[in-house]
Amino acid sequence: MDSLGSYYSFGYSVLLIPLLWLFRDGVAAYRAAVAVNMALMCFGVLLLRNIICRLFPEMDKIKRVFISGIAVLYPSWVFYMQVTLAEALLTFLFLGLTFLFICFIQKPGILTAAVLAVSLVYSYSVHMRTVGVVIACLAVLALWGVVNPAMRKQMLILFGVILAAGLVVAVIKRNVILSVFSKADAQTLAANDYGSQMWKVRDILTSDGMLVFLKEILAKFFYLGMATYGFFYWAMIWCVQKAAGLFKKIVQKQSVFFDVQSWTALFLLLAVIGEILICSIYMHGSTHIDCLIYGRYNEFLVPVLIVTGITAMLKSRRIFRTNLLLGALSGLMIFPILSVIRQENMEGIRGYFVAGISCLIDEANFEPLDFFLKAWIFGFILMLLTAGIFLIIKKWKNMEWLLAIILIIEVFLGIQVSAHYIYKVNQIEYKDLIIAEKILESNDGSETVTYLDENNNSDLIQVGTYALTITSAGSNYDFTGAVIDEVFKITPAGQTPLTITGTRERVCYGDTIQLGTTGGNGTVTWTVSDGNIAEIANGLLTVKGVGSVTVTATSTKTGYTDQTATWSFYAEK
């Protein structure tokens, strides 16, 4: 059980393999996986409540329960809970990591250090993007260990366990790749390694690339702010204030040993920065608008940030004024976001990657300005609503029940995004499963039966020309349709057009430009129209002359139509 999707690893299969062993039926296994995700959410409420108790012991019990519920019912977690992606597990794991981190700071025992270390490594084995959280946690604990030399033994155990567990994970992953993906092409395997992202880093380090990159980071902040009704912004303000106070105390040589709020704030701040940087680098150069604001890679951090954000709001004396300012700043973020969309020729949006604001997407008539304005207006209204609720709670006693309004809104939004994506797909997949079972029951093994769905799609392993007997099923899943014997060619469905990424508007003599591609199939080869002006190898373009030249990228794969993409430019002196 593994995935060759970018940066996924084998960690999630630790939960899925037992389910697949217990439930041979596909529908039952899916439902069991969803039940496990739901159980993780339920345990998440307990973890969040304990996090609040340890971070903010002065908060009363009723508020703890409501705030924990608001954090758990974050619409994106409700959405991911119903699918077999790793996001639900990652969200729960980050809650666990935060809880263990707090426990270790409060009572730095050897067992807590070992469990925290194993949890960090396991999170990384689920998805490599969590490296931002791992680095943040280790960096903060290293600083904590320097400030507190008496904890040297616990720190050695922590880093020792991480090293040992990391080596085990590396060996397992290597064996999984060799055994499961031995026939995968090198380009596909390379896409799941850090080295494949280096051309993006080089592009970001250019002046134009850096400006685009900063706007991409801003877009992630816009998404997280609007998707959390402003709680993300409040959490960041709290983290920055506490982290700054921590460093001030360290410089002044004051005691910070048990300052759990400040150490946790520093951990959360670095984790958010690290994850947003990783997401922005990985999505850099993409042509999809959803990749610009891409919430999926960062949303596993959100429940903890909602807790800290709400707590910060409740302690503030300027709730409404601050939300007005934050809302206005969010509106200004739309302008640089739209400029990147125009500059990079981005188009199209996949709502399941931005689940937190996908309720406002109209895929059939999508227009970027209209969508971002709606997202901002809707988010701003919810920011003002939450500000009003918290003001009432602060002013009058026994008004905590008003927090249920936020819970109701979250449930509605979670159901809406699930109905828009999950439930529709489930209906189609369930129908296909029933038909597949009927085919298996009716086939005695003497012939090949291929089912084509309503879109004439076929899931044959290899593209080519075949002589097949096709039995078409009626809408009631009984085999009442006609039997057709015909030789036909199955062509690839839905090939994504090949495009060249990393291009520039201005090219000069002596430039070296790392080009890449999106879309297409198989191996990509590069050529230039004039070898006297430029040469290219593995996408690295070197300009050695002056004049006009065209770069051509061609993707080839057996059974697929070759695709080409070109970029023409004039090399200046």
Side-chain angles (χ1 to χ4, degrees):
M1 288 299 301
D2 201 336
S3 169
L4 208 56
S6 298
Y7 294 118
Y8 276 100
S9 191
F10 62 89
Y12 191 30
S13 63
V14 173
L15 290 182
L16 292 183
I17 286 178
L19 298 180
L20 294 174
W21 182 76
L22 289 172
F23 303 96
R24 300 297 180 179
D25 177 71
V27 175
Y30 165 75
R31 290 172 178 170
V34 172
V36 170
N37 288 343
M38 191 177 297
L40 294 179
M41 288 187 73
C42 294
F43 283 116
V45 175
L46 300 178
L47 279 175
L48 283 165
R49 185 177 176 278
N50 277 280
I51 289 172
I52 296 173
C53 289
R54 291 174 179 270
L55 273 184
F56 312 106
E58 71 281 1
M59 184 177 293
D60 63 72
K61 294 181 180 180
I62 296 178
K63 288 179 183 176
R64 291 175 190 171
V65 173
F66 271 110
I67 293 173
S68 299
I70 292 171
V72 166
L73 290 177
Y74 174 57
S76 293
W77 197 356
V78 174
F79 172 75
Y80 291 125
M81 178 267 292
Q82 301 173 76
V83 297
T84 52
L85 292 170
E87 271 62 33
L89 175 59
L90 287 174
T91 305
F92 176 79
L93 286 174
F94 186 68
L95 294 183
L97 287 173
T98 304
F99 176 72
L100 289 170
F101 178 90
I102 294 171
C103 290
F104 183 73
I105 295 297
Q106 290 181 326
K107 190 176 181 180
I110 294 176
L111 179 60
T112 306
V115 175
L116 176 59
V118 172
S119 300
L120 285 169
V121 176
Y122 177 65
S123 297
Y124 182 76
S125 77
V126 174
H127 201 294
M128 291 167 64
R129 73 172 183 258
T130 57
V131 67
V133 172
V134 175
I135 293 174
C137 186
L138 295 182
V140 174
L141 289 177
L143 177 62
W144 180 83
V146 171
V147 175
N148 305 285
M151 295 296 108
R152 188 175 303 168
K153 181 179 179 180
Q154 287 85 338
M155 295 305 299
L156 287 175
I157 291 174
L158 175 73
F159 283 93
V161 173
I162 285 179
L163 180 61
L167 290 174
V168 172
V169 164
V171 171
I172 294 175
K173 182 172 184 177
R174 179 63 178 170
N175 290 334
V176 167
I177 291 175
L178 290 176
S179 59
V180 179
F181 302 113
S182 58
K183 295 183 179 179
D185 58 82
Q187 185 176 359
T188 303
L189 290 173
N192 292 270
D193 195 5
Y194 294 119
S196 63
Q197 307 301 312
M198 292 311 298
W199 73 267
K200 298 177 183 179
V201 176
R202 287 192 289 268
D203 182 71
I204 290 170
L205 293 178
T206 65
S207 56
D208 291 339
M210 180 58 68
L211 182 60
V212 170
F213 183 65
L214 292 175
K215 293 178 181 178
E216 290 169 340
I217 293 175
L218 193 66
K220 311 297 187 297
F221 273 85
F222 173 85
Y223 172 84
L224 291 171
M226 295 298 95
T228 60
Y229 339 121
F231 297 148
F232 170 77
Y233 297 143
W234 282 92
M236 289 296 94
I237 293 172
W238 179 81
C239 288
V240 170
Q241 290 176 340
K242 288 294 182 179
L246 175 67
F247 283 110
K248 183 178 180 180
K249 290 179 181 178
I250 292 175
V251 171
Q252 295 176 349
K253 297 183 179 180
Q254 298 180 22
S255 175
V256 292
F257 185 68
F258 292 112
D259 191 352
V260 64
Q261 284 192 3
S262 296
W263 289 110
T264 304
L266 180 60
F267 164 56
L268 294 178
L269 179 63
L270 294 182
V272 169
I273 292 173
E275 293 304 319
I276 288 181
L277 286 175
I278 289 170
C279 179
S280 299
I281 292 172
Y282 182 64
M283 294 300 163
H284 184 74
S286 176
T287 57
H288 286 284
I289 293 175
D290 53 87
C291 293
L292 178 61
I293 56 178
Y294 208 74
R296 180 182 168 194
Y297 266 23
N298 304 312
E299 287 183 306
F300 72 97
L301 305 170
V302 166
V304 174
L305 298 176
I306 286 179
V307 165
T308 53
I310 290 177
T311 306
M313 286 184 71
L314 289 172
K315 291 183 176 182
S316 175
R317 297 179 180 179
R318 297 181 292 273
I319 296 177
F320 206 83
R321 188 186 310 172
T322 303
N323 264 15
L324 282 174
L325 177 60
L326 292 173
L329 292 174
S330 298
L332 294 176
M333 294 180 190
I334 295 176
F335 296 101
I337 292 173
L338 293 176
S339 70
V340 174
I341 293 174
R342 289 191 297 267
Q343 180 180 342
E344 301 297 314
N345 296 316
M346 293 182 169
E347 58 184 14
I349 191 164
R350 297 161 293 184
Y352 42 85
F353 288 149
V354 289
I357 55 176
S358 63
C359 61
L360 304 166
I361 296 175
D362 180 7
E363 287 92 344
N365 303 291
F366 180 76
E367 201 283 317
L369 176 60
D370 179 65
F371 166 69
F372 282 104
L373 281 176
K374 287 181 179 178
W376 172 63
I377 292 172
F378 185 69
F380 199 2
I381 291 173
L382 290 180
M383 288 175 68
L384 297 180
L385 175 63
T386 55
I389 290 173
F390 291 142
L391 284 173
I392 294 174
I393 292 174
K394 285 171 63 69
K395 189 172 183 179
W396 287 287
K397 294 182 178 181
N398 302 320
M399 298 299 289
E400 289 83 358
W401 61 269
L402 288 175
L403 292 171
I405 296 175
I406 303 175
L407 290 172
I408 294 171
I409 293 173
E410 287 187 315
V411 170
F412 172 78
L413 294 176
I415 293 175
Q416 196 279 337
V417 65
S418 300
H420 193 64
Y421 297 106
I422 298 174
Y423 303 156
K424 288 182 179 179
V425 173
N426 283 354
Q427 290 176 357
I428 296 172
E429 296 293 343
Y430 184 72
K431 186 184 86 169
D432 290 345
L433 179 63
I434 295 299
I435 293 177
E437 290 176 349
K438 291 291 185 181
I439 290 175
L440 290 174
E441 291 174 5
S442 64
N443 184 23
D444 60 5
S446 61
E447 60 181 354
T448 300
V449 181
T450 303
Y451 164 64
L452 273 69
D453 64 17
E454 64 272 14
N455 295 316
N456 292 327
N457 295 322
S458 176
D459 289 332
L460 286 183
I461 296 176
Q462 188 172 3
V463 173
T465 303
Y466 302 89
L468 299 173
T469 298
I470 303 176
T471 304
S472 60
S475 59
N476 60 353
Y477 309 126
D478 292 327
F479 291 96
T480 57
V483 177
I484 307 170
D485 292 311
E486 185 177 353
V487 176
F488 64 98
K489 185 173 184 179
I490 299 175
T491 56
Q495 292 190 61
T496 306
L498 182 70
T499 57
I500 297 177
T501 60
T503 59
R504 298 181 186 175
E505 294 184 0
R506 184 180 180 186
V507 180
C508 299
Y509 170 79
D511 285 352
T512 56
I513 306 172
Q514 180 65 56
L515 301 176
T517 60
T518 58
N521 296 97
T523 305
V524 176
T525 57
W526 298 87
T527 58
V528 293
S529 59
D530 192 337
N532 294 321
I533 298 176
E535 61 183 21
I536 190 167
N538 297 322
L540 182 62
L541 178 70
T542 303
V543 183
K544 57 181 184 179
V546 177
S548 299
V549 66
T550 298
V551 177
T552 301
T554 304
S555 69
T556 58
K557 189 174 183 179
T558 303
Y560 286 77
T561 304
D562 291 352
Q563 294 193 57
T564 60
T566 60
W567 171 46
S568 299
F569 62 88
Y570 181 83
E572 305 174 9
K573 290 185 178 180

